Amino acid sequence: MPIYAEACGHRFDKDSVSVVSCGGKESVDRLYRVFNELGISCFVVMDYDEGSAEAVSSSKQLLDWLQQPSGVPTGILLTDKVACFQKDWEQTCAAEIADYAALRQEARKFLGVKEENGKPLIARYIARVLVSRNPAVVPPIITAVLSTAIKCKHT
């Protein structure tokens, strides 16, 4: 997200925006509570993980807790509090990036990452390649998520 944000003209550091990895849906509520108690605005970006019964259950619980629609999103659920990708971030972005499969393979080879590992590294690699193009390429869905997240206010 920070790589795409900068390409869109957003300066996370200057705007006091941080991206915090929660390590999975199961710990989002804890971090959200802490930040909320400190008066810090929170915007949750998550995968619904449609297709995995356990992950879907966790997704529904988290969305319910955030008081957001908890059914399977069609493409992406984007509200003032959350961006939730139907299956996962990668599948959604792949649909908007013509050469996504080639970039993913290039990233795996360059980074020495096995097929089942390295999603965050691969995503950063692809983001750097896309924003280095002239003109910079930011997937439309990422632009929409960034535009919404930047406006997030503490409630």
Side-chain angles (χ1 to χ4, degrees):
M1 281 297 216
I3 295 167
Y4 291 122
E6 190 167 329
C8 291
H10 302 294
R11 303 292 183 259
F12 277 5
D13 289 341
K14 181 179 172 261
D15 296 335
S16 300
V17 174
S18 296
V19 176
V20 178
S21 175
C22 296
K25 291 182 210 69
E26 294 76 22
S27 52
V28 171
D29 63 333
R30 292 171 199 86
L31 288 170
Y32 193 95
R33 283 184 180 115
V34 169
F35 291 133
N36 195 48
E37 287 298 317
L38 295 170
I40 299 170
S41 303
C42 294
F43 185 83
V44 176
V45 178
M46 61 183 272
D47 296 335
Y48 196 86
D49 293 318
E50 182 186 32
S52 165
E54 185 178 328
V56 165
S57 176
S58 294
S59 297
K60 285 182 179 191
Q61 287 175 5
L62 179 56
L63 289 168
D64 281 339
W65 183 79
L66 291 166
Q67 299 176 339
Q68 302 298 303
S70 61
V72 179
T74 303
I76 184 171
L77 167 67
L78 186 57
T79 72
D80 61 342
K81 289 185 181 180
V82 67
C84 180
F85 297 91
Q86 181 177 1
K87 174 117 176 81
D88 58 31
W89 159 284
E90 296 80 12
Q91 188 176 51
T92 303
C93 287
E96 295 187 345
I97 302 167
D99 58 345
Y100 184 85
L103 288 171
R104 186 179 59 225
Q105 282 306 109
E106 180 183 309
R108 288 189 186 288
K109 184 176 180 182
F110 180 80
L111 298 166
V113 175
K114 300 267 189 244
E115 192 65 31
E116 65 280 355
N117 297 323
K119 285 170 67 170
L121 286 172
I122 292 166
R124 278 194 297 274
Y125 180 93
I126 291 171
R128 285 189 184 107
V129 169
L130 292 175
V131 302
S132 70
R133 291 179 175 170
N134 191 7
V137 175
V138 178
I141 196 65
I142 301 303
T143 302
V145 170
L146 287 168
S147 296
T148 306
I150 292 294
K151 296 178 206 166
C152 181
K153 300 290 182 216
H154 178 261
T155 56

